[in-house]
């Protein structure tokens, strides 16, 4: 009997052991951040056991051989809230995917801009800033360019409105406008191939809205080799994907200015591994300056669809932008004092902070079009980008440690730029005494609306209406790269193709306008017999105040091919080394044509008036042929040493270049001789940085050096070619810290910049301050911390108006504020105030000096004055 019991006992023991042996399950899943992007390096464990896993670069994890039972699944990632979930294993595999919630500025946040493979900040040898919507809202921006003011090392002159901003980096100058060395991207591809095209800067075709999950900004470093024409920086606007279901509807309107805007966005899974996101905005109003008419009217819509597969994904997306946004050009202002200590004051009838030379009296522009036809444009169209884009993005694991990614996009871009530029500001008596008035028979001035004679001491503005037709700025961009993982060595080969059309027509006219901020009146010239010799303020059909220089038409194409190679070596657990090289080859063809003058009866009244005697048209019968090539090599070498898990140092040296587009088509060169074309400007950069993460914050510091060699480019506003070399040395510091419910973050950049050639050698580049800085303290309160209040301080030290270093532009600090109230769990209200103390902050002056001991009239671009808005947002 005992023998029988022993045998049965042995049998049952073996049976249950076998069941236990085979009752092993797998817990797996994918980990994303709040924007739906994969999170590599997340530690996932079964609490109380030794079992766990780490997510890979696609965010996937897998814990194998899990016995039946109840467990607590925990996931931790520096800078993110710990994830915890109770799970029961019952002889079946479990798939548990989840989203990690960011809780501080994290060094473990993965970056995808300016790198060949996603890598955490702590492991990257680049200077990078990441901004998410919550942080962006705290600086109370009114335009996309104002967002960039809080990026260390970036100087964004956001005084032009919704576009046409000047954006510089690390003392590398804004030599002729736009963002020559800084490239704006959407989802990893350039918005435009060149950042400084006249009247078609990249920010004109870029809008920030609730579709954006975050903005990444890379300064220096590998920006030289991983995109074309971007040696200074890449600023990448990254879209939401809808992998995590959710959306929002928001409405904001101005409390002390005319503006109404509605934003919406929604994304969600559609089925297994298929999800979408869509959204956009529409905005209408007069704008933050008093224009006297509806100056902003338009919007944007974006859509993307993503399908995931076992070893990759495919995403298709589209964008439609059709916006009309007022473009602010220089305002008149009066200045006394000295060049070293000037006193800037408003004119008696013009507030430089809140008003503009735009006026309902100058609502249209009539003249000859590009092909010699009669045409009429609306000044209220302002900056009018019309863009239709369709693109795709795909990434796949090919096996054997090969990965391939491809991004491609076609954009149909057109529109216009229409805004009055003051050629000068002076009294009526000084204008009448000048060469232009005496040479054209002006004896006196009168208001065109019949209000009588213009007094001698009235301040007036002879303006050139920058009426520019953007005919065709279509582009195609594609970037494909193949990566092979050799264990501790990643090798990436890539190929970028970019094709950019540049077809535009400068159809400018000239007017006389009183320098008044409220419904400025047009002014007629009157001869000695009391007869009007101008027509409703129109002085000339062309850029009469610029010597009739500028009626022009461009029709050129830029075809860029750029193979590149990148290697990344994990030399040890602490040391990473990367190197990259890129060869850009550009082929340019097309033509451009300048002005021709003739008599033409524009108003069809049978009489040739004085302005109609010298009508400017475009001389299409005598074009200048453009047919040249250019090429250059960029390279970058960097290393990153991780001192501890939360701190590292890095160093990098790089060389890159930026090619010019339309801005060299003014120099009278042989545009069919590639050897004689000054198409390239070069930057050599070195940087050494330190980064440190804390439990509740982070700190970054980077010392940088940049040497810029320029060949010159045309600037329309000064009607001149600017050519200088530059060098700069500086440091940028960025940090954040949270004390319980109090949060503070900020950045400071010191730059010692110097012109290194020409007549102004040794001087400081124009508009370059020694210090730019921002500080954003905020406080969260309420039972669920659903409310917040804060300030943002954005400022700069003094700068020189021009390279001659005579007139000083005073330093300033703009103080903004915000209050967010959580009305319910999903409904929030927001009040934001920009420039609450209505500070005068001048970013640009056309004049480089003043005459001491008298009143001087200057043309300046100040940041907008005080504006207050109320917003309501419902998330779901």
């Amino acid at each position: 009997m005992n023998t029988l019991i022993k045998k049965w006992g042995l049998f049952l023991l073996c049976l249950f052991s076998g069941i236990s042996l085979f009752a092993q399950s797998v817990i797996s899943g994918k980990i994303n951040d709040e924007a739906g992007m994969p999170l590599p390096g997340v530690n996932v464990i079964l609490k109380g056991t030794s079992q766990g896993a780490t997510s890979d670069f696609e965010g996937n994890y897998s814990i194998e051989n899990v016995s039946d039972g109840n467990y607590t699944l925990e996931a931790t990632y520096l800078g993110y809230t710990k994830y915890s979930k109770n799970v029961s294993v019952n002889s079946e595999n479990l798939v548990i995917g989840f989203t990690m919630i960011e809780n501080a500025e994290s060094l473990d946040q993965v970056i995808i801009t300016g790198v060949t493979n996603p890598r955490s900040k702590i492991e990257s040898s680049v200077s990078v800033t990441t901004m998410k919507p919550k942080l962006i809202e705290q600086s109370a921006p009114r335009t996309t360019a104002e967002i960039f003011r809080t990026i260390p090392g970036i100087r964004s002159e956001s005084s032009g409105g919704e576009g046409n901003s000047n954006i510089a980096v690390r003392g590398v100058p804004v030599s002729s406008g736009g963002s020559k060395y800084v490239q704006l991207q959407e989802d990893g591809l350039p918005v435009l191939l060149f950042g400084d095209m006249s009247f078609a800067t990249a920010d004109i075709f870029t809008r920030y809205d609730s579709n954006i999950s975050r903005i990444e900004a890379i300064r220096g470093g590998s920006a030289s080799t991983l995109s074309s024409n971007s040696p200074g920086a890449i600023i990448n606007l990254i879209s939401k994907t809808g992998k995590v279901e959710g959306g929002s509807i928001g409405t904001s309107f101005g409390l002390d200015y005319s503006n109404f805007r509605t934003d919406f966005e929604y994304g969600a899974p559609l089925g297994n591994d298929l999800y979408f996101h869509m959204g956009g905005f529409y905005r209408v109003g007069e704008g933050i300056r008093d224009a006297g008419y509806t100056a902003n009217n338009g919007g944007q819509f974006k859509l993307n669809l993503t399908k995931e597969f076992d070893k990759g994904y495919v995403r298709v997306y589209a964008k439609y932008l059709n916006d009309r946004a007022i473009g602010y050009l220089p305002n008149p202002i009066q200045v006394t004092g000295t060049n070293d200590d000037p006193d800037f004051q408003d004119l008696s009838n013009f507030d430089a902070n809140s008003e503009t030379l735009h006026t309902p009296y100058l609502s249209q522009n009539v003249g000859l079009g590009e092909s010699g036809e009669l045409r009429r444009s609306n000044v209220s169209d302002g900056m009018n980008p019309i863009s239709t884009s369709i693109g795709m993005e795909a990434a796949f694991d090919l096996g054997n440690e090969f990965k391939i990614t491809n991004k491609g996009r076609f954009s149909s871009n057109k529109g216009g730029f229409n805004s009055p530029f003051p050629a000068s500001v002076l009294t009526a008596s000084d204008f009448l005494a000048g060469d232009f008035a005496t040479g054209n028979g002006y004896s006196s001035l009168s208001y065109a609306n019949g209000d009588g004679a213009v007094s001698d001491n009235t301040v007036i503005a002879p303006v050139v209406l920058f009426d520019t037709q953007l005919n065709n700025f279509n582009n195609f961009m594609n970037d494909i790269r193949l990566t092979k993982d050799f264990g501790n060595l990643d090798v990436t080969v890539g190929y970028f193709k970019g094709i950019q059309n540049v077809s535009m027509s400068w159809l400018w006219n000239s007017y006389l306008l009183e320098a008044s901020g409220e419904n400025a009146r047009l002014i007629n010239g009157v001869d000695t017999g009391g007869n009007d010799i101008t027509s409703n303020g129109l002085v000339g059909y062309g850029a009469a105040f610029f010597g009739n220089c500028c009626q022009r038409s461009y029709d050129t194409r830029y075809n860029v091919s750029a193979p590149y190679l990148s290697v990344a070596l994990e030399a040890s657990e602490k040391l990473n080394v990367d190197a990259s090289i890129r060869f850009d080859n550009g082929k340019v063809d097309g033509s451009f044509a300048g002005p021709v003058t003739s008599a033409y009866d524009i108003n069809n009244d049978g009489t040739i008036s004085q302005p109609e005697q010298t009508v400017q048209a475009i001389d299409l019968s005598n074009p200048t042929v453009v047919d040249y090539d250019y090429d250059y090599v960029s390279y970058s070498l960097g290393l990153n040493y991780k001192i501890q898990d939360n701190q590292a140092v890095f160093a990098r040296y790089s060389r890159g270049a930026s090619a010019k587009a339309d801005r060299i088509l003014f120099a009278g060169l042989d545009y069919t001789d590639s050897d004689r074309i000054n198409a390239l400007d070069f930057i050599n950069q070195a940087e050494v940085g330190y980064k440190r993460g804390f439990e509740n914050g982070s700190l970054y510091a980077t010392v940088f050096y940049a040497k810029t060699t320029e060949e010159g480019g045309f600037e329309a506003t000064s009607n001149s070619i600017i050519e200088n070399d530059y060098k700069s040395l500086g440091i940028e510091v960025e940090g954040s810290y949270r004390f319980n419910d109090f949060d503070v973050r900020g950045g400071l950049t010191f730059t010692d910049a110097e012109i290194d050639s020409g007549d102004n050698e040794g001087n400081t580049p124009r508009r370059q301050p020694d210090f730019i800085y921002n500080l954003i303290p905020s406080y969260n309160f309420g039972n669920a911390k659903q409310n917040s209040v804060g300030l943002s301080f954005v400022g700069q030290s003094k700068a020189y108006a021009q390279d001659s270093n005579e007139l000083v532009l005073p330093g300033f600090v703009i103080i903004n504020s915000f209050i967010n109230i959580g009305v319910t769990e999903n409904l929030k209200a927001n009040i934001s105030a920009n420039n609450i103390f209505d500070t005068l902050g001048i970013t640009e002056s056309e004049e480089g000096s003043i005459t001491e001991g008298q009143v001087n009239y200057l043309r300046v671009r100040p940041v907008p004055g005080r504006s207050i808005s109320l917003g309501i947002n419902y998330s779901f």
Side-chain angles (χ1 to χ4, degrees), residues 688-699:
V688 178
Y690 172 77
K691 42 199 169 185
R692 172 76 181 267
F694 306 96
E695 182 178 357
N696 295 316
S698 62
L699 175 68

Side-chain angles (χ1 to χ4, degrees), residues 196-214:
D196 66 337
M197 291 182 289
S198 301
F199 309 106
T201 54
D203 64 325
I204 290 180
F205 288 90
T206 307
R207 295 290 185 272
Y208 174 84
D209 61 16
S210 57
N211 285 295
I212 302 301
S213 68
R214 69 186 187 277

Side-chain angles (χ1 to χ4, degrees), residues 290-292 349-351 354-358 514-520:
D290 299 331
N349 56 348
F350 195 100
D351 186 326
S354 64
E355 295 179 325
T356 173
L357 285 175
H358 293 81
E514 67 172 332
S516 173
E518 184 176 354
N519 297 339

Side-chain angles (χ1 to χ4, degrees), residues 578-593:
D578 66 273
S580 52
I581 188 169
R582 182 186 186 96
F583 177 74
D584 275 77
N585 178 264
K587 298 181 181 297
V588 186
D589 65 84
S591 64
F592 68 94

Side-chain angles (χ1 to χ4, degrees), residues 170-193:
R170 291 180 170 178
V172 177
V174 180
S175 53
S176 52
S179 56
K180 177 174 180 56
Y181 301 104
V182 179
Q183 185 182 94
L184 299 188
Q185 294 187 350
E186 288 184 320
D187 295 313
L189 288 174
V191 176
L192 297 174
L193 191 57

Side-chain angles (χ1 to χ4, degrees), residues 342-402:
D343 182 16
F344 289 83
Q345 297 288 335
D346 289 332
L347 301 179
S348 60
N349 56 348
F350 195 100
D351 186 326
N353 270 4
S354 64
E355 295 179 325
T356 173
L357 285 175
H358 293 81
T359 170
Y361 286 108
L362 182 54
S363 61
Q364 66 177 16
N365 190 47
V366 178
L368 295 182
E370 179 185 28
S371 301
E373 77 285 2
L374 281 174
R375 67 179 289 271
R376 179 174 67 91
S377 67
N378 293 318
V379 179
S380 63
D381 284 346
M383 294 179 288
N384 179 207
I386 303 173
S387 179
T388 304
S389 298
I390 184 169
M392 64 80 63
E393 177 180 335
F396 284 94
D397 185 341
L398 302 179
N400 295 322
E401 305 302 327
F402 279 99

